Amino acid sequence: MLGVYVSNFPLELSVVPRASPSVSLLGISTRMPRYYFDLCENNELAVDEEGLELPNMRAVQIEAARSLVDIARHAVWTGAETILGHQMSIQVRDGSGPVLQAKFTFELEKHRQ
């Protein structure tokens, strides 16, 4: 579980458990790669220290997009009226370095009070 703060409200991202991360081929156990999903919101970074074991880049892309949508939804409902030009991203890395970045930006433009 990744704990972050969005607009001064605590937010925990829970991850649905996946199938066993070990795959047995001819009696040999292999582990899936571990990916870390760091949240960057308005130039503040929350580093994922646990990471997730995922089977491939498609699963990484889906997890990054799902997490970003959840965070954006929470930000909108908890204070978006005071946020202009709100930017957030999920920066995914593995043991070798960066592998993917998913970005989201939104602005609120009021025409009437």
Side-chain angles (χ1 to χ4, degrees):
M1 188 168 304
L2 172 66
V4 296
Y5 285 85
V6 178
S7 305
N8 296 325
F9 292 92
L11 171 68
E12 291 186 5
L13 300 177
S14 59
V15 178
V16 177
R18 305 278 192 244
S20 173
S22 296
V23 178
S24 180
L25 300 172
L26 303 174
I28 300 171
S29 180
T30 59
R31 308 262 321 155
M32 287 190 280
R34 182 170 292 274
Y35 297 94
Y36 300 88
F37 295 76
D38 301 332
L39 170 64
C40 184
E41 183 177 14
N42 289 332
N43 297 321
E44 292 186 28
L45 184 66
V47 177
D48 176 6
E49 296 180 10
E50 293 180 27
L52 293 172
E53 290 181 342
L54 297 170
N56 53 43
M57 282 303 295
R58 173 96 172 118
V60 171
Q61 291 171 350
I62 291 168
E63 186 64 35
R66 186 189 65 78
S67 296
L68 194 54
V69 167
D70 288 346
I71 294 165
R73 181 182 305 116
H74 185 268
V76 168
W77 286 108
T78 60
E81 289 185 23
T82 62
I83 301 169
L84 297 176
H86 196 86
Q87 299 177 355
M88 59 185 70
S89 67
I90 300 283
Q91 300 172 5
V92 184
R93 59 188 164 80
D94 64 9
S96 299
V99 295
L100 177 111
Q101 183 177 34
K103 296 180 184 181
F104 183 78
T105 301
F106 66 92
E107 292 183 31
L108 293 176
E109 184 177 321
K110 291 183 180 181
H111 297 285
R112 294 187 191 154
Q113 291 292 22

